[in-house]
Amino acid sequence: MIYRDQYFDYEKINKVAHRCYDVSISDDLEKVYYKNKQQFYNKLFKIKPVSQIFSNIDFHYDHIPHNNDRKNIFLELIKLFKARRWLAFFALALPQVEGLFTEMLSTVSPDDKGKSLAEKVKKVRPAYMLSEAYFDYYQYMITDLRTKFAHTGFETDLKLKCYDLLTDLEHILQVYYELDHPMIKVKRLIKQRNSTDFIGYREFSQFFVWRISLSRFMLKE
């Protein structure tokens, strides 16, 4: 794993760790990504099928707060991916990266609007414990990809870039789900309705601490 403090070369940013962090052979898979991306996804999708990625996207989306309802957008993305309509998927999926970081920023710091994707990613970093490991890719590389497509309206290797964007969106939604913020924690608990989350006074106490923090947060707004 290469963290941003260890390099000055843009090309050394890790482009793959967030795609396979949850599979048992992630280190071996990372090497394959840089040598043969198609082979990487062939192996990844055998371990974690596309249907599971769709399910992960759906689950995490339903457990996070929303300023804008993107549910229909994600349903459309799934249809486009299944139909192998790569250009349409790419064009619709790419803006969702900034859209989700905009949502995250509005949740953790509503007064900070952020003028660019890079700035929004930077402002969300403190709310996510693993941002040092994963956020450089979103802050620098996705920004360049989006800018290039916006200015040219053209892209090559669309199928593989769509695979990238699918796994990017899966990861971003999980990041949002895991952000350290009372609004997200309370939403997650209420949505899951899991009785094991409240097995003792400590759990109830923690819930009310989050709820009070959220109330104070809302009052500031």
Side-chain angles (χ1 to χ4, degrees):
M1 183 76 69
I2 299 175
Y3 292 178
R4 62 191 177 121
D5 290 341
Q6 295 175 275
Y7 60 74
F8 297 93
D9 186 348
Y10 169 92
E11 292 301 324
K12 290 183 179 178
I13 292 175
N14 194 309
K15 308 176 186 71
V16 62
H18 67 284
R19 308 183 197 284
C20 55
Y21 68 95
D22 55 348
V23 300
S24 58
I25 57 169
S26 59
D27 290 341
D28 293 333
L29 271 179
E30 284 193 34
K31 297 174 185 176
V32 176
Y33 182 88
Y34 294 107
K35 294 178 180 178
N36 187 324
K37 191 186 288 190
Q38 181 63 65
Q39 187 179 3
F40 166 84
Y41 280 112
N42 290 343
K43 291 176 177 289
L44 179 65
F45 293 156
K46 285 182 180 178
I47 301 168
K48 184 169 63 171
V50 170
S51 59
Q52 180 61 52
I53 294 175
F54 291 158
S55 295
N56 293 343
I57 287 173
D58 185 62
F59 173 85
H60 290 122
Y61 185 86
D62 285 344
H63 287 75
I64 56 178
H66 306 288
N67 288 326
N68 298 295
D69 187 358
R70 299 173 189 270
K71 187 73 170 182
N72 287 335
I73 293 176
F74 279 98
L75 291 174
E76 182 64 22
L77 283 171
I78 291 172
K79 290 179 183 178
L80 293 171
F81 193 94
K82 288 180 176 179
R84 303 172 66 87
R85 295 179 59 190
W86 303 127
L87 179 57
F89 179 92
F90 183 87
L92 183 59
L94 187 56
Q96 301 314 309
V97 175
E98 180 166 3
L100 288 171
F101 271 101
T102 300
E103 298 269 359
M104 282 190 263
L105 182 58
S106 69
T107 297
V108 302
S109 185
D111 292 333
D112 284 330
K113 302 304 179 184
K115 296 180 180 179
S116 65
L117 173 57
E119 187 175 333
K120 292 168 188 175
V121 175
K122 182 178 180 180
K123 289 177 180 294
V124 173
R125 278 181 181 270
Y128 187 58
M129 182 176 62
L130 298 176
S131 63
E132 288 294 312
Y134 299 129
F135 274 26
D136 292 349
Y137 168 78
Y138 299 116
Q139 188 167 346
Y140 303 110
M141 306 207 81
I142 283 288
T143 297
D144 285 356
L145 180 65
R146 190 203 58 175
T147 301
K148 177 186 173 185
F149 187 69
H151 285 285
T152 66
F154 179 79
E155 193 53 76
T156 58
D157 297 324
L158 275 170
K159 182 179 77 169
L160 292 176
K161 286 189 171 69
C162 287
Y163 288 173
D164 280 346
L165 281 172
L166 179 69
T167 48
D168 289 342
L169 291 174
E170 179 200 19
H171 181 250
I172 292 169
L173 284 166
Q174 180 164 346
V175 167
Y176 198 169
Y177 175 84
E178 294 175 349
L179 288 183
D180 185 16
H181 190 275
M183 183 181 293
I184 297 168
K185 293 174 181 177
V186 169
K187 173 74 180 283
R188 196 165 61 214
L189 282 171
I190 293 173
K191 181 71 177 179
Q192 290 176 344
R193 298 178 181 272
N194 189 343
S195 60
T196 60
D197 289 328
F198 298 97
I199 58 176
Y201 73 91
R202 290 183 180 178
E203 289 77 16
F204 277 100
S205 176
Q206 183 62 71
F207 175 80
F208 284 113
V209 167
W210 290 336
R211 188 66 184 84
I212 292 169
S213 297
L214 182 56
S215 296
R216 290 172 178 169
F217 178 81
M218 297 301 291
L219 282 173
K220 290 180 181 178
E221 296 305 302

